[in-house]
Amino acid sequence: MGERNTRRDVIKATAGVAGIGSLAGCSSLVGGGNAESIAIGSKQFTEQQILGYLAYHAIDENTEVEVVDEVGLGGTTTNFQALQEDEIGMYWEYTGTAWLTLPPKNDEVISDPQEIYNRVTAEFEEEHGITFLDRASFNNTYVLLANPDWQSETGIETMSEFASHLQDGNTDMTVVMNAEFQERSDGWPGLIEHYEMSDAASELNVRNVGSGLTYQVVGEGEAQVGMGFNTNPNIARYDLVALEDNNGFFPVYNPAPMIKQDTLESNSAVSQPLSDLVGTLSTETIRDLNQRVSIDGEDASSVARDHLSSNDLI
């Protein structure tokens, strides 16, 4: 454990004082992508920790590659810097995040999962010498969530149907979201413009609540609709209904293991267990795994091992 903390401290301290590329020359401290050794990083929220440990145990149990636990390393920038400078060997990145947030940063929103995967893979191979392994099918994107009783009464299943509902004058309702979503161009303002319901939406009672509370507020009927994230376990907990983004406004956020091409060449054995793993990760599955950790209080590493075992992957 002491070695892990020292390594993590070195990465974070270096990343905090300089930009991308500042970790050059430090690879001897970590060996993130050496032949027969790979350090697994992740972001710090629950889903990312689960994904990190899924990769860690899948590689550890199915290959001779030595794996190093750097799960929970930091945010997107910290992990990306560490990957570029071989301080970690891989981490799971979302296709939408890579396309819209990491350099060179694109403005175009791509709602087709395979198209954005193909384009971001080609771009990162050319720009950074980094590639993506197979992507999981689940999409951790924004969603509008409906109270189950309200949804049953109205029969609304898609964003277009929601827009028509408002345009027909049914605006005596409450919608909840966090302040960031209400202001972001890829949030509420862009959504209501995209679905041509801006005028009707101005009549709604829009309330700001914290991201973690939106699920409960909608689930308990204090609001009819609210924003959320598609893989949050509270969707199942409150039996909420995610409205289909049928006209493709929100970006796609499929996770895939992101790894430097030379690291993959040196550790090619990791590809197959990770490919086998992604096929087991549906939306319902990741919500269940997230719930076990964030709501039920189970250990992320243990939950990951249990999932792999139950799918005969270890």
Side-chain angles (χ1 to χ4, degrees):
M1 183 63 71
E3 180 186 359
R4 178 185 175 190
N5 289 339
T6 299
R7 180 183 296 112
R8 188 186 304 277
D9 291 343
V10 168
I11 296 172
K12 286 187 173 181
T14 311
V17 297
I20 291 176
S22 65
L23 300 176
C26 296
S27 59
S28 61
L29 294 173
V30 179
N34 294 332
E36 302 305 319
S37 175
I38 187 167
I40 309 297
S42 86
K43 305 178 194 184
Q44 295 174 318
F45 58 91
T46 296
E47 181 171 294
Q48 275 275 310
Q49 292 189 36
I50 293 169
L51 290 171
Y53 281 120
L54 284 168
Y56 178 95
H57 292 303
I59 294 171
D60 187 45
E61 295 284 347
N62 291 287
T63 76
E64 297 300 318
V65 177
E66 178 187 356
V67 285
V68 179
D69 180 0
E70 290 297 341
V71 174
L73 177 64
T76 298
T77 300
T78 297
N79 277 277
F80 187 60
Q81 288 178 329
L83 180 66
Q84 284 195 309
E85 300 303 330
D86 292 321
E87 304 302 329
I88 58 174
M90 62 148 285
Y91 77 99
W92 294 75
E93 189 54 274
Y94 299 95
T95 51
T97 301
W99 180 252
L100 297 168
T101 304
L102 293 177
K105 298 183 181 181
N106 298 279
D107 294 327
E108 179 186 2
V109 173
I110 302 174
S111 58
D112 180 81
Q114 191 61 41
E115 180 183 355
I116 191 172
Y117 173 81
N118 291 343
R119 291 178 65 176
V120 78
T121 298
E123 180 174 88
F124 272 60
E125 288 179 353
E126 179 178 353
E127 295 281 339
H128 303 296
I130 290 171
T131 193
F132 290 82
L133 302 182
D134 292 344
R135 63 181 175 88
S137 63
F138 75 82
N139 180 15
N140 189 6
T141 189
Y142 281 123
V143 285
L144 281 193
L145 300 167
N147 173 275
D149 293 335
W150 178 86
Q151 192 277 331
S152 180
E153 292 172 3
T154 62
I156 293 172
E157 297 180 344
T158 69
M159 298 281 202
S160 291
E161 291 171 351
F162 178 59
S164 296
H165 183 74
L166 299 187
Q167 291 162 349
D168 288 340
N170 301 294
T171 57
D172 184 18
M173 58 182 294
T174 298
V175 178
V176 291
M177 62 193 71
N178 65 27
E180 180 183 7
F181 185 80
Q182 189 173 7
E183 299 295 330
R184 288 174 59 129
S185 60
D186 61 344
W188 185 246
L191 178 69
I192 60 178
E193 180 180 356
H194 184 80
Y195 280 94
E196 300 180 349
M197 55 177 173
S198 298
D199 291 342
S202 66
E203 303 295 324
L204 295 170
N205 176 29
V206 177
R207 290 173 47 201
N208 286 150
V209 299
S211 298
L213 289 175
T214 56
Y215 309 93
Q216 180 179 348
V217 171
V218 176
E220 294 180 350
E222 297 178 31
Q224 287 72 47
V225 173
M227 60 78 64
F229 294 96
N230 191 43
T231 61
N232 191 288
N234 284 301
I235 294 176
R237 184 183 189 183
Y238 293 104
D239 200 25
L240 305 177
V241 179
L243 301 184
E244 180 188 352
D245 181 18
N246 59 302
N247 283 343
F249 171 72
F250 291 123
V252 177
Y253 291 89
N254 297 135
M258 189 163 75
I259 185 170
K260 290 189 74 172
Q261 290 173 286
D262 55 2
T263 299
L264 182 60
E265 291 173 2
S266 299
N267 300 277
S268 59
V270 306
S271 294
Q272 190 59 54
L274 293 176
S275 178
D276 294 339
L277 165 61
V278 297
T280 70
L281 298 176
S282 65
T283 298
E284 292 73 22
T285 296
I286 198 65
R287 285 178 184 170
D288 177 66
L289 298 180
N290 285 339
Q291 177 175 329
R292 290 177 60 183
V293 176
S294 65
I295 296 176
D296 300 339
E298 296 184 52
D299 175 69
S301 179
S302 298
V303 167
R305 282 191 61 88
D306 182 60
H307 174 78
L308 292 167
S309 178
S310 64
N311 284 276
D312 296 324
L313 296 178
I314 59 174

